Amino acid sequence: MIGTEKLSLLGGPKAVRESHEPMFKWPIITEEDEAAALQVLRDGAMSGTNITKQFEQEFAEWLNMDYALAFNNGTNSLLGAFYGCGVGIGDEVICPSVTYWATALPAYALGASIVFAEIDPVTLCLDPNDIERHISEKTKAIVVVHYLGHPADMDPIMEIARKHNLKVIEDVSHAQGGFYKGRRVGTIGDVGAMSLMAGKSFAIGEGGIFVTNDREIYERAIALGHYERYNEEIKTPYLQPHAGLPLGGYKFRMHQISSAVGRVQLKYYDERINEIDKAMNYFWDRLEGVPGLRAHRPAPGSGSTMGGWYATHGHYVPEELGGLSVTRFCEAVRSEGVPIGPGCNLPLHLHSLQHDADVYGHGKPTIIANASRDLRQPKGSLPVSEGIAARVYSIPWFKHYEPAIIDQYVEAFRKAALQYNDLLAGDSGNPEKLGGWNFFRQKAD
Ligand SMILES: *Cc1c(COP(=O)(O)O)cnc(C)c1O
């Protein structure tokens, strides 16, 4: 043990010899979830709002916020948040380039443009030092993602936003329940929007939700796509006269099987992610000091946490492993019986949608359709975002604290890193495109 057995890729024994399905199964569904879902079916209440409103209230109480608004998915919770914050024609929204597309793309539907900023190479979240150079008179909001579970550095971001009178939207889809310096992520900016789809750590089916203390943001989002709640309860004066129809022509209502399951999941969520946190921290503690490998997590004792550790990743330092490519490293770990891969989300600013797609027939690219300047960002403009894929890899997402099992996975990573020298000969480097636009599809392929 401890990394000295011959690499499986080179003919040695595997570090992980059997599958550990219960370790990875998620979400945890019990008879209580099943009963809640069945009750919705038996009541014929699939399309109502009564259960959803209970879920919203409990979710808001959980995060100690005034309002929670449920959506049929996370993408639309972000669209609602953008509109809630007043994002409209010609406005610019600053967003990290490395994230899932739904963090940013809904802005186009409102006639706004996206300006991509760098990520910090350690947190992998929006770099506070790369925001101000992107601010113009048209900037309306900053979208922050607590990427791969790691809380973004909110203090300097909020300071910049206040200084320039910008709204801050937190995309909490990777980090539900996480903390930033003792405060829950999603409660620090003007609105915290998130996915609750089945692959996320807070998993209820297809669904999304946002939380805010700002009644106007809440009511604008209702007006955009919750027609059944756009009535005399809406207090914002300029919204009142148009009640009855959704202003955006959208319909955002959450399916009540999702909200019923969500109510049950919420009861156990903190307890379950605490166990994930313990398991994942154990994994990284055991790899402490192994060359080339670094944990992606906030410093212990900082008051910041990784929430449910969605889409767990690690940092890779090829310089410490004779330049071994992350692709070859992952190949060796996979051969040990651990299904992982290199890279993360591809940088959005390089996709053709951000350069030449004319989606709505403006006669020019959508990204500049209503813009007052050319916002297209060429290759080379965001070097950290463009290079990060070669320095990260996925790791197993342990749901239970079972040291004896986790140790086998630790051994796989340790073997590959400590015996990097034997892997150099067969290393043909990284492919040009490393990572994907979409984790979920990567998994299903
Ligand atoms: C999943 C995800 C979304 C979108 O949520 P859906 O529920 O899939 O619509 C938005 N932002 C991020 C960062 C995500 O990972």
Side-chain angles (χ1 to χ4, degrees):
M1 287 293 271
I2 56 163
T4 53
E5 275 194 303
K6 192 172 176 149
L7 289 168
S8 162
L9 192 63
L10 305 176
K14 283 181 187 300
V16 179
R17 286 168 208 157
E18 68 270 10
S19 75
H20 303 104
E21 251 173 72
M23 206 41 177
F24 301 108
K25 194 165 164 30
W26 198 257
I28 294 171
I29 296 293
T30 68
E31 282 174 10
E32 198 178 344
D33 301 271
E34 291 168 9
L38 266 181
Q39 197 60 48
V40 175
L41 291 175
R42 287 181 178 146
D43 291 348
M46 289 82 86
S47 272
T49 56
N50 57 326
I51 305 161
T52 298
K53 283 180 173 164
Q54 289 173 316
F55 177 50
E56 289 171 348
Q57 194 183 336
E58 289 158 3
F59 201 89
E61 280 167 15
W62 174 52
L63 295 177
N64 197 20
M65 295 293 280
D66 291 343
Y67 309 104
L69 186 61
F71 291 77
N72 52 354
N73 56 49
T75 305
N76 284 338
S77 75
L78 282 148
L79 177 53
F82 283 136
Y83 186 73
C85 287
V87 172
I89 303 288
D91 289 335
E92 295 173 15
V93 171
I94 295 174
C95 169
S97 180
V98 176
T99 179
Y100 179 72
W101 56 261
T103 301
L105 299 195
Y108 289 146
L110 299 172
S113 298
I114 304 165
V115 180
F116 294 99
E118 279 286 30
I119 54 165
D120 175 284
V122 175
T123 66
L124 304 180
C125 303
L126 182 63
D127 182 352
N129 297 313
D130 194 52
I131 295 174
E132 284 194 298
R133 76 176 169 116
H134 297 293
I135 294 176
S136 78
E137 275 172 11
K138 291 289 186 182
T139 309
K140 193 52 136 311
I142 302 171
V143 196
V144 178
V145 188
H146 304 291
Y147 189 58
L148 308 176
H150 200 299
D153 193 3
M154 293 302 294
D155 284 343
I157 293 170
M158 293 307 296
E159 204 179 305
I160 292 164
R162 296 304 170 234
K163 182 171 146 200
H164 296 273
N165 198 23
L166 307 176
K167 298 282 191 202
V168 173
I169 297 160
E170 292 177 73
D171 182 346
V172 193
S173 303
H174 293 187
Q176 301 91 342
F179 288 90
Y180 169 76
K181 298 187 182 173
R183 286 172 289 164
R184 293 272 195 186
V185 295
T187 68
I188 301 164
D190 295 277
V191 52
M194 66 202 88
S195 171
L196 303 174
M197 61 79 81
K200 302 288 156 75
S201 68
F202 201 128
I204 71 171
E206 290 298 325
I209 199 162
F210 80 38
V211 291
T212 182
N213 287 331
D214 186 321
R215 178 129 194 137
E216 189 177 351
I217 291 176
Y218 174 69
E219 294 197 340
R220 282 178 64 90
I222 289 176
L224 187 71
H226 293 272
Y227 74 96
E228 73 283 352
R229 298 157 73 156
Y230 189 11
N231 53 31
E232 57 288 345
E233 284 174 35
I234 296 298
K235 302 289 180 243
T236 306
Y238 65 83
L239 294 174
Q240 279 171 342
H242 311 298
L245 296 181
L247 299 185
Y250 294 111
K251 188 181 157 196
F252 290 153
R253 189 160 69 228
M254 180 180 273
H255 194 299
Q256 292 215 107
I257 289 184
S258 289
S259 46
V261 169
R263 294 188 67 205
V264 179
Q265 289 291 314
L266 179 58
K267 287 208 275 184
Y268 305 100
Y269 185 69
D270 276 325
E271 184 188 316
R272 288 173 181 164
I273 64 170
N274 284 343
E275 184 166 3
I276 293 177
D277 196 50
K278 196 169 167 192
M280 294 307 307
N281 278 318
Y282 176 81
F283 172 82
W284 279 123
D285 289 346
R286 298 279 291 160
L287 285 169
E288 198 70 51
V290 173
L293 309 184
R294 300 276 194 289
H296 177 235
R297 60 175 173 181
S302 59
S304 298
T305 69
M306 294 288 282
W309 289 76
Y310 174 72
T312 48
H313 277 66
H315 287 291
Y316 186 71
V317 190
E319 296 79 9
E320 294 178 0
L321 302 176
L324 183 74
S325 74
V326 71
T327 301
R328 178 73 169 157
F329 172 77
C330 289
E331 190 189 352
V333 176
R334 271 200 307 278
S335 171
E336 298 293 336
V338 186
I340 60 144
C344 53
N345 285 110
L346 287 164
L348 288 167
H349 73 281
L350 298 183
H351 190 281
S352 58
L353 173 56
Q354 325 300 346
H355 291 268
D356 47 31
D358 176 3
V359 182
Y360 298 106
H362 284 101
K364 52 185 165 177
T366 298
I367 190 166
I368 51 167
N370 302 302
S372 45
R373 58 190 179 126
D374 193 346
L375 296 166
R376 289 170 289 188
Q377 293 163 283
K379 202 172 166 129
S381 59
L382 298 175
V384 178
S385 301
E386 291 169 32
I388 201 68
R391 308 186 71 85
V392 293
Y393 48 92
S394 61
I395 58 167
W397 185 12
F398 302 110
K399 310 303 191 309
H400 302 284
Y401 178 66
E402 293 191 46
I405 294 177
I406 298 171
D407 280 343
Q408 298 176 35
Y409 291 80
V410 168
E411 178 66 5
F413 283 83
R414 210 189 273 262
K415 273 174 83 175
L418 293 179
Q419 300 180 47
Y420 73 88
N421 229 355
D422 299 340
L423 292 166
L424 289 169
D427 186 3
S428 41
N430 293 318
E432 208 202 319
K433 237 188 193 177
L434 201 55
W437 304 110
N438 185 336
F439 291 132
F440 205 61
R441 206 179 64 218
Q442 261 180 316
K443 250 188 271 173
D445 276 348

